[in-house]
Amino acid sequence: MTIPDIELETPRLLLRPPRLDDFEDWAAFMSGGGDYLRYIGGPQARSPAWRALMSVIGSWAALGYGFFSVYEKASGRWIGRLGPWQPEGWPGPEVGWGIIESEGGKGYASEGAAAAIDWAFEHLGWTEVIHSIDTGNLGSKGVAAKLGSRYLRQDRLPAPFDDKDIEIWGQSREQWRARRAGASA
């Protein structure tokens, strides 16, 4: 199995499958003291962060998709991870996001997620996309709304993240394409 040689480019970002040399940035992101971590399972020490990165790399090798590493083009810095994701028992085909706290509020999550959604619909053949969002995560709800997604239902993630309800936001491929066509008209 090999990892596809994919790079997605947006006006400000470069997205590519993660590599082992992303680990230091990934681990720093997952161990940081930022408020964002409470919405994605809490801070992680280096060893669980390593296992998480290896899980994403493995998803790319086995399934041909997973979170992308996100690089800011202007600086060349790793600033987060986002993209298509659907682990066993997940409530649907998701495009999720996580941007380092210092770069939050700049529109990077929605810019990168839009490219990932386009790619998932075009290359993976997905017919819908969801975003699983902690009920208190107003920032991610704003990103989902900016992407044109809407609240669909309450649900739960599979264990070990099944301790509380989450909101499922999303849209169909047809809704996404109609919105994109309307925006470019």
Side-chain angles (χ1 to χ4, degrees):
M1 292 179 263
T2 60
I3 295 175
D5 187 22
I6 296 168
E7 284 190 352
L8 304 182
E9 193 170 336
T10 72
R12 300 179 299 161
L13 303 173
L14 179 66
L15 285 65
R16 64 156 174 75
R19 302 176 187 143
L20 184 56
D21 61 358
D22 294 334
F23 176 64
E24 291 302 326
D25 293 319
W26 183 289
F29 170 69
M30 292 308 299
S31 69
D35 187 51
Y36 63 91
L37 288 173
R38 71 183 166 120
Y39 300 124
I40 58 172
Q44 291 182 343
R46 287 178 63 84
S47 59
W50 185 87
R51 287 191 295 275
L53 176 61
M54 292 304 111
S55 178
V56 172
I57 291 171
S59 179
W60 275 102
L63 302 174
Y65 68 89
F67 285 133
F68 292 98
S69 277
V70 181
Y71 284 85
E72 181 185 51
K73 287 181 359 183
S75 68
R77 289 185 322 128
W78 187 97
I79 62 165
R81 43 98 176 133
L82 59 77
W85 187 242
Q86 191 176 10
E88 174 64 28
W90 216 249
E94 177 166 24
V95 167
W97 48 84
I99 301 296
I100 62 174
E101 192 168 45
S102 66
E103 300 305 311
K106 296 180 180 179
Y108 289 145
S110 56
E111 183 177 326
I117 292 170
D118 278 340
W119 185 82
F121 284 148
E122 183 176 333
H123 295 283
L124 301 177
W126 287 5
T127 58
E128 68 172 341
V129 66
I130 67 157
H131 320 292
S132 55
I133 302 175
D134 184 286
T135 57
N137 191 341
L138 300 179
S140 279
K141 290 180 192 184
V143 171
K146 187 174 181 181
L147 292 167
S149 290
R150 59 184 172 75
Y151 172 83
L152 300 175
R153 66 185 183 276
Q154 292 291 116
D155 209 330
R156 291 203 174 206
L157 296 178
F161 307 107
D162 58 345
D163 60 335
K164 62 181 176 176
D165 286 340
I166 57 159
E167 294 183 13
I168 301 296
W169 289 59
Q171 62 189 297
S172 69
R173 180 173 52 205
E174 291 73 28
Q175 290 167 326
W176 175 256
R177 288 181 175 163
R179 185 173 171 278
R180 298 287 269 185
S184 63

